[in-house]
Amino acid sequence: MENIPTQTPSAASRHKKNLLIVLGLSGTYLIAEVIGGIVTNSLALLADAAHMLTDVVGLLLAFIAIKIGERKADPSKTYGYYRTEILAAVINAVVLLGISVYVLIEAYKRFQSPPEVQSKSMLIVAGIGLVVNIIGMMILRKDSEGSLNMKGAYFEVLSDMLTSVGVMIAGVIMLTTGWYYADPLISAAIGFLIFPRTWKLLKEAINVLLEGTPKDVDIHKLRQSLEHTQGVKSIHDLHVWSLTSSVNAMSAHIVKNESVSQNQLLKTLTEETVKNFKISHTTFQIEEEGYEETEVHL
């Protein structure tokens, strides 16, 4: 028996309006920051602009992925298009890692011969960026808790907020001391700060693509719950995976006692699994004792 709703809305789909608002804010500021970085000759500002560019592209990609993911299932995609959101999260993470490496390389070059930077103008542009990014983070923070796609978008904005803070620190140092090494130094620090969170996001997204056990499902407790259901003699071939963030699926082979009704057992298993675990798609194969298959996964 398979209990699959026609279309379970993903966590990201429920928050796409907020994503669109942040996309508009980030896109508007990107234009101003690129101009500011060129005029002031600041690597930190240009690094921030590069991150902001990935923000805009990443946010746009996340929004497109949500729209594609909302398409209904069809004969060629029986589970729908949920995975496009996870692909977007992977691409966002890879792009962020790439930009971080680029900033580190460019910072190293500038350590050799730090150019003069127009610190005052740099501070003004970075200050505006900080405000824009804080607003974006406030809008996306709650949404990021239930979706890897939205988490990727949130990390994009968070990384750029950190960059804006770093740019302002570098600006203050250069404005007050004339020490232009602060520009590449802060840029390098920002590059290193972004790595850990982005790497974690990438690992979580790849785990979904590899159909690993979702982190919000305790498979040991799930197994115990199924085994202790009245009428269940034993279980095997238990699998749990994610279609996308917050949309989990499972399948299991159930060996039943002769005394229990198959329909009633299916009803009980489905209700208890959906109610007590974060699983929206359940598939149970009910077997009589002695039934064997040639290939069994424990």
Side-chain angles (χ1 to χ4, degrees):
M1 176 181 180
E2 191 171 18
N3 179 31
I4 300 180
T6 54
Q7 188 75 18
T8 303
S10 68
S13 180
R14 295 191 292 269
H15 306 295
K16 60 186 176 185
K17 183 178 178 181
N18 288 345
L19 186 63
L20 201 56
I21 292 172
V22 177
L23 176 59
L25 287 171
S26 299
T28 302
Y29 177 65
L30 170 63
I31 298 171
E33 190 166 39
V34 169
I35 295 171
I38 294 172
V39 170
T40 63
N41 195 32
S42 167
L43 172 62
L45 257 188
L46 290 174
D48 195 12
H51 282 297
M52 184 61 80
L53 176 61
T54 63
D55 286 354
V56 172
V57 174
L59 291 169
L60 180 61
L61 186 62
F63 182 76
I64 292 172
I66 290 172
K67 295 301 291 182
I68 295 174
E70 289 176 339
R71 293 172 61 184
K72 295 184 181 300
D74 55 45
S76 66
K77 300 289 186 299
T78 56
Y79 269 130
Y81 295 80
Y82 290 121
R83 286 286 172 86
T84 54
E85 296 183 13
I86 302 303
L87 290 173
V90 170
I91 293 171
N92 273 347
V94 170
V95 170
L96 269 174
L97 289 173
I99 290 294
S100 297
V101 170
Y102 169 77
V103 169
L104 290 172
I105 293 173
E106 191 63 27
Y108 173 77
K109 291 178 180 178
R110 290 210 173 191
F111 270 122
Q112 313 301 312
S113 179
E116 185 176 347
V117 178
Q118 296 180 31
S119 309
K120 189 173 182 180
S121 299
M122 171 183 164
L123 270 172
I124 295 172
V125 177
I128 296 171
L130 181 61
V131 173
V132 170
N133 288 314
I134 289 175
I135 293 172
M137 286 179 59
M138 290 173 64
I139 293 173
L140 294 180
R141 184 173 183 178
K142 187 175 181 181
D143 301 345
S144 70
E145 296 174 2
S147 163
L148 282 179
N149 189 29
M150 295 298 286
K151 182 182 287 187
Y154 175 74
F155 280 171
E156 293 275 9
V157 179
L158 173 63
S159 68
D160 206 70
M161 187 276 290
L162 292 173
T163 309
S164 295
V165 171
V167 171
M168 293 187 71
I169 293 173
V172 169
I173 293 173
M174 289 185 290
L175 188 63
T176 55
T177 67
W179 191 61
Y180 293 111
Y181 282 100
D183 185 52
L185 182 65
I186 294 295
S187 300
I190 292 166
F192 282 119
L193 279 173
I194 293 168
F195 260 92
R197 288 178 178 270
T198 306
W199 183 250
K200 182 180 178 183
L201 169 66
L202 183 60
K203 288 201 309 184
E204 289 181 11
I206 289 177
N207 185 62
V208 174
L209 293 179
L210 292 177
E211 298 193 340
T213 303
K215 67 175 185 177
D216 55 351
V217 175
D218 188 328
I219 195 168
H220 300 293
K221 288 184 179 179
L222 174 61
R223 176 180 286 276
Q224 290 176 355
S225 175
L226 295 175
E227 288 175 338
H228 288 85
T229 300
Q230 185 176 3
V232 173
K233 185 160 188 160
S234 64
I235 71 168
H236 60 91
D237 278 358
L238 173 61
H239 301 279
V240 185
W241 66 98
S242 292
L243 301 177
T244 187
S245 303
S246 78
V247 182
N248 300 325
M250 66 149 290
S251 66
H253 291 217
I254 307 294
V255 180
K256 77 177 188 71
N257 292 326
E258 295 181 1
S259 58
V260 70
S261 161
Q262 177 170 301
N263 287 343
Q264 182 57 48
L265 179 58
L266 282 170
K267 186 174 184 293
T268 301
L269 288 169
T270 301
E271 288 179 350
E272 295 207 3
T273 302
V274 172
K275 178 182 177 181
N276 298 325
F277 298 89
K278 295 180 178 180
I279 296 173
S280 52
H281 297 252
T282 61
T283 304
F284 294 105
Q285 177 171 311
I286 305 299
E287 303 170 354
E288 300 285 349
E289 189 174 4
Y291 175 81
E292 294 183 0
E293 290 192 350
T294 56
E295 185 175 344
V296 174
H297 301 276
L298 298 177

